[in-house]
Amino acid sequence: MITIFGSINMDLVARVRSIARPGETVLSRRADSFFGGKGANQAVAAARISREGAIKVAMAGAVGRDPFGKACLDNLTRNGVDVEAIKVVDEPTGCAFITVDEHGENAITVASGANLAVRALDVPERLVSDASVLVLQMEVPLAENLDMALRARRAGATILWNFAPVPAETERAAMADMLAAIDVLVVNEHEAVSVAAIMGEEVDGDYLRAACLLAHTYGLVCIITAGAKGAVAVSPDGRQSHAAARPVTPVDTTGAGDTFVGVLAYGLAEGREVSEAMRRACVAASLSCLTAGAQAGMPSRDMLEAALSS
């Protein structure tokens, strides 16, 4: 089993000529809604490539008692995700308000809502004891992530932490505890530098140096995602392995990082080496960029295998 502990959102997207400045109102022809939240996205990505449910994917999180909450639960169920550990709470379902200008630049405001009510103690024991991989992100409280990581570590699971998005403020002691509790850290180039800075390391923007320091100091595998350049994994002893992205003409890169994490987690749950799991995740992330929306382009197992063999 793969257990994803994290956020569930509804994304509301409006396309505009230019993003509004303070005090300005701009018009958009329409607003489109997409299922999102890093946790939910990663759960869907993993479930889509499951071979006839060989490895179960379970989501632990929270939604509100509102139409968005019901829609998010129905969407996860349709995608084959176990939703037993998703609480329905009085807070509204999390929402992301996204404006995208004609050049593809965006501005995003996230209303966390129910995601702040996610608690590690609410997760049933079977989703911890049966999990071979636990996946965490940064859209739920850090303290709850740490509690969940410690529970899963005691149960013998592999713990994968996607440090995204980078919070405005993070306590160094809590971060150190978290890094010591995980097995795999997944970050992009900027996030790698941010984590190193939080931990008091000055790397002058060198994300590979940041990855090497984090991997060695905390005894973990640090994976850096770099968009069209693919990804690189750094082991505690400094060894590096690289995986290439598949060349595509992207329609929408939203959700590509979450696709990478979900497919990487599935590969690890299958018992694949990090390098091979990362290779498959890079191809899946590339495929996800061919359709608009965070989840719409996430590939099925057949699509992924076809792309890998071509």
Side-chain angles (χ1 to χ4, degrees), residues 176-219:
D177 290 342
M178 192 70 194
L179 290 167
I182 67 171
D183 301 288
V184 181
L185 175 68
V186 179
V187 284
N188 65 24
E189 298 145 298
H190 305 295
E191 291 156 359
V193 173
S194 294
V195 175
I198 291 168
M199 302 316 298
E201 300 286 355
E202 180 52 60
V203 296
D204 296 322
D206 186 337
Y207 63 88
L208 275 177
R209 182 181 170 198
C212 289
L213 282 169
L214 293 168
H216 175 72
T217 302
Y218 296 98

Side-chain angles (χ1 to χ4, degrees), residues 6 21 72 77 104 153-154 166 179 185 201 226 283 292:
R21 294 168 296 184
C72 288
T77 301
R153 177 166 286 280
R154 289 192 294 269
V166 176
L179 290 167
L185 175 68
E201 300 286 355
V283 173

